[in-house]
Amino acid sequence: MKAARPPRWYADPARLGLAALAVSAAAFFLLPLYVMAITSLKPMEEIRLGHLFSWPTQLTLDAWHAAWISACTGVACDGVRGGFWNSVSIVLPSTLIAITLGALNGYALAYWRARGAALLFGLLMIGAFIPVQVLMFPLVRMLGPLHLVGSLAGIVLVHVIFSMPIMTLIFRNHFAALPRELFLAARLDGAGFLRIFVLLMLPLSVPMLVVAAIMQATGVWNDYILGLVFAGREHLPMTVQLNNLVNTTTGTKLYNVDMAATLLTSLVPLAIYVISGRWFVRGIAAGAVRG
Amino acid sequence: MNKPAASPAAARRAPNPAHLALLPMALTALVVYLGSMLWSLRISMSSSRSLPMQDFVGLAQYQRLFANERWLHSLHNLALYTPLFIAASLVVGFLLAVLVDRQARAGGLLRAVFLYPYALSFIATGLIWQWLLNPELGIQQAVHGWGFAGFRFDWLVDQDRVIYTLVIATVWQGAGLVMAILLAGLRAIDADILRAARLDGVPAWRIHVSIVIPMLGFSFATAALLLLTAAVKLYDAVIAMTQGGPGTASEVPAKFIMDHLFGRANIALASAGATIMVLTAVALLAPLLYARRRALRASR
């Protein structure tokens, strides 16, 4: 007997309803991005008409130009481009150092006996739940005498410190899941701590290193509060400049410039997100297995 | 976790390289996390203003803190925000996960659309929604333009409703995270159980309510844990979206602490607030961590 053919999706009201729901949900999530984009492309005269959702009658890139080159971010009026490069110079070392240390910690914790390591790791995991504001002042007082507050080295160090719990955790879980025989065989061959780490463990961890790098780069780029306190005037990250641009400008508000600057600041994490795709989701999964 | 090293004899001879490797972690855990916490606690029991003082005033700062209108208002706001944010994120995130799961063809694309706000900073999120909710030129005005002159959506400048705008913006940003976590949980559910239920003629909504949601206990607890941690830290989004206003209507504890540390130079009061914040976080997180452990055990 021939099986009844399942109804076409458009003939099935339940599936049709679900599809409609999916489309409206997608529209709701995309709407802010759409409004941001079209606002950044409108001249101010058109924005003042109050048609938030309508396509620009007059497309212009002036706001993008101003946001990048000449908008005021506090005292200085040279756009957010300085912040862009500051953020790049903060993100690169913060990511490299944080994932190296995280991998090293995870490897040492998973394979080597070290006295008190379990206790320290537990402490670090509790630290992951402590709001940064709580540690802010003591950290400023500790780093101040070392001339690390208001410097590139200082902000990088602070990022490495605050990402250490999560980086250590994901690498410890990663290494603990590898077959232990690999490690034991290398030990029998006489390889030591660093040799095993560099020649055996790191090559086995390339996917995890990529996932960790994606997480860390996105997190550091999107940071505001640490940059505000520790980066200093010379190295203010793009998020801080963006907030200054939008929230502390005197005179008329230029909403198109605001939105262009917001988009510019979001381009890097959005690019990471779009390019990395499934890897980004893997990072969420790896970061979620805490506690 | 700490299995015996391959060769204890060799480890005893040379200085343990693992100790050396774990030194940065030890310093971070002991000096930064533990040390800062204790230091913060100590300062909160002194009369420090802009510089740390060595005197001891007991719990006087805590008394001042809980007599402080702005602090009480901040706590009240957080108490209102946190359950709303977590509940809304979980509900929306679950619905999104089901939607993505049921769309065989467009699932990947939908997932990407629902998750992209999570890649954005809280600053960008706050600024986007500040613009959308701008009462003069934002959504309210656009709807007026469509002929609904009586339409009101000015929560951003409404002292009693501004906190809900923070919920809207942060749920938009974080619901995708919940979706991603729940999707992983959904995919791990044995398809045979669902198929059997469907063959028995159980309607789809009933399958989700009675079978899927209970089986996702661990995923829900994990998501709630991440959301709760984020809620207690709530700061950037407030700075970008409302700066605590209008007036002090959207002040939150994290902002109170930052303002008193750096703006108002009252570090003892700020540290007392910080201690309360940690205690609150612990009190809320501990039962959640416990529930999550139990859910994990139940699912095994």
Side-chain angles (χ1 to χ4, degrees), chain A residues 49-241:
Chain A
L49 299 176
H51 305 309
L52 186 69
F53 301 108
S54 26
W55 187 255
T57 48
Q58 203 187 328
L59 283 169
T60 165
L61 281 173
D62 291 352
W64 283 73
H65 186 80
W68 184 249
I69 303 280
S70 64
C72 297
T73 59
V75 193
C77 290
D78 39 20
V80 289
R81 63 190 156 150
F84 177 86
W85 293 112
N86 289 346
S87 282
V88 169
S89 64
I90 293 169
V91 164
L92 291 179
S94 300
T95 303
L96 208 65
I97 298 172
I99 63 174
T100 308
L101 271 180
L104 203 61
N105 287 345
Y107 160 68
L109 286 169
Y111 291 110
W112 293 78
R113 185 211 286 274
R115 195 171 304 162
L119 191 70
L120 286 178
F121 180 64
L123 203 60
L124 200 67
M125 287 301 102
I126 297 172
F129 291 113
I130 295 174
V132 290
Q133 289 88 354
V134 178
L135 310 173
M136 198 65 93
F137 182 73
L139 208 54
V140 170
R141 297 287 299 185
M142 278 188 241
L143 298 182
L146 304 171
H147 301 291
L148 284 172
V149 176
S151 71
L152 186 60
I155 179 68
V156 169
L157 177 67
V158 171
H159 274 301
V160 169
I161 285 173
F162 282 110
S163 60
M164 192 179 281
I166 194 74
M167 288 292 133
T168 302
L169 176 76
I170 62 172
F171 279 104
R172 192 199 66 126
N173 290 346
H174 163 73
F175 285 122
L178 292 181
R180 198 170 167 76
E181 289 71 26
L182 288 170
F183 172 76
L184 294 178
R187 284 297 281 161
L188 281 179
D189 289 342
F193 183 89
L194 261 187
R195 246 179 96 80
I196 298 182
F197 179 65
V198 174
L199 295 180
L200 177 68
M201 293 298 166
L202 283 187
L204 286 172
S205 311
V206 174
M208 207 29 126
L209 288 167
V210 175
V211 167
I214 290 168
M215 283 173 80
Q216 178 71 357
T218 316
V220 173
W221 187 278
N222 285 341
D223 158 71
Y224 170 78
I225 189 167
L226 298 180
L228 181 71
V229 175
F230 292 98
R233 207 175 284 275
E234 300 290 300
H235 303 281
L236 281 185
M238 204 175 184
T239 48
V240 176
Q241 286 205 344

Side-chain angles (χ1 to χ4, degrees), chain A residues 124 127-128 130 135 161-162 165, chain B residues 28-38:
Chain A
L124 200 67
I130 295 174
L135 310 173
I161 285 173
F162 282 110
Chain B
T28 304
L30 291 175
V31 178
V32 179
Y33 286 108
L34 193 60
S36 298
M37 284 265 288
L38 294 177

Side-chain angles (χ1 to χ4, degrees), chain B residues 50 70 255-267:
Chain B
S50 59
R70 211 177 133 205
K255 184 166 175 295
F256 180 94
I257 295 171
M258 289 295 285
D259 288 351
H260 283 78
L261 277 185
F262 298 107
R264 300 174 169 226
N266 194 340
I267 57 174

Side-chain angles (χ1 to χ4, degrees), chain A residues 49-52, chain B residues 134-146 151:
Chain A
L49 299 176
H51 305 309
L52 186 69
Chain B
N134 177 324
E136 278 102 44
L137 296 170
I139 294 174
Q140 174 170 284
Q141 188 58 39
V143 175
H144 286 180
W146 295 337
F151 179 80

